[in-house]
């Protein structure tokens, strides 16, 4: 199974993104596709403040994480909240729908006032927890991606 990624130049670096819809099993939130950063350096799959606003998530309903309740991201301090049981939907290379049920994902709640637009470039992160839980790996040939993306070959 292959899941196509979009390679974008963000913060002067090539980054891999995938279009993902998060379906919260216990909560009423309208699933909406978010361009999500695939970040193998992140321990958690996380929805940032911009994604929270886009999805209109009921943040007050989520519990604070037992482990690492306060985290730093993008130069800001956040309370890490947990959403249990989330369906993560995306499409494979044949444009067929895929659905993965994750035990939990994180939501970042600012500890001080910030504008959600500050995180518009990265509304969500697909982290290592997702890759490990579903036994997925990311294979990326940046040389070919650069040729196709930048030079159009």
């Amino acid at each position: 199974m292959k899941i196509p990624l979009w390679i974008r130049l963000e913060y002067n670096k090539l980054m891999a993104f995938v279009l993902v819809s998060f379906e919260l099993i216990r909560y009423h939130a309208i699933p909406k596709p978010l361009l999500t950063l695939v970040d193998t350096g992140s321990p958690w799959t996380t929805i940032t403040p911009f994604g929270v606003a886009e999805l209109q998530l009921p943040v007050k309903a989520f519990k604070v994480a037992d482990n690492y309740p306060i985290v730093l991201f993008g130069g800001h301090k956040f309370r890490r909240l947990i959403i249990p049981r989330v369906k993560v939907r995306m499409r494979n290379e044949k444009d067929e729908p895929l659905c993965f049920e994750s035990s939990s994902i994180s939501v970042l709640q600012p500890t001080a006032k910030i504008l959600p637009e500050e995180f518009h470039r990265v509304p969500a992160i697909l982290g290592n927890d997702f890759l490990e839980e579903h036994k997925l790996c990311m294979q990326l040939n940046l040389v070919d991606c650069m040729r196709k993306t930048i030079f159009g070959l």
Side-chain angles (χ1 to χ4, degrees):
M1 164 182 44
K2 293 182 182 178
I3 300 166
L5 302 176
W6 283 274
I7 305 302
R8 294 177 47 177
L9 190 63
E10 296 289 345
Y11 308 104
N12 292 324
K13 299 287 182 190
L14 290 174
M15 296 180 162
F17 290 83
V18 62
L19 201 57
V20 172
S21 291
F22 296 99
E23 183 182 328
L24 287 56
I25 296 169
R26 290 188 188 173
Y27 305 95
H28 297 287
I30 299 168
K32 181 179 179 182
L34 293 176
L35 199 56
T36 301
L37 175 66
V38 180
D39 187 354
T40 59
S42 175
W44 307 293
T45 296
T46 304
I47 299 175
T48 70
F50 183 82
V52 168
E54 284 287 301
L55 299 174
Q56 300 177 0
L57 296 181
V59 177
K60 292 180 181 180
F62 308 142
K63 293 183 180 179
V64 176
D66 292 331
N67 296 325
Y68 304 99
I70 302 293
V71 296
L72 294 175
F73 176 71
H76 298 279
K77 191 185 280 188
F78 295 93
R79 202 168 284 105
R80 189 170 75 92
L81 308 175
I82 299 295
I83 306 174
R85 292 188 59 226
V86 176
K87 288 184 181 177
V88 180
R89 298 182 187 274
M90 57 189 76
R91 295 194 166 272
N92 68 13
E93 77 276 13
K94 296 176 184 173
D95 203 32
E96 300 165 333
L98 300 173
C99 182
F100 301 92
E101 190 168 318
S102 289
S103 55
S104 68
I105 64 170
S106 299
V107 170
L108 298 181
Q109 180 185 43
T111 58
K113 187 170 174 96
I114 61 167
L115 297 173
E117 295 79 28
E118 286 192 44
F119 296 96
H120 73 279
R121 292 167 135 169
V122 183
I125 297 168
L126 201 65
N128 241 0
D129 60 339
F130 181 84
L131 300 175
E132 288 174 6
E133 184 175 8
H134 301 290
K135 298 180 179 21
L136 299 172
C137 66
M138 186 169 99
Q139 297 177 347
L140 184 63
N141 182 336
L142 281 179
V143 173
D144 284 344
C145 291
M146 285 176 58
R147 284 187 190 133
K148 291 175 187 169
T149 305
I150 298 172
F151 302 111
L153 300 177

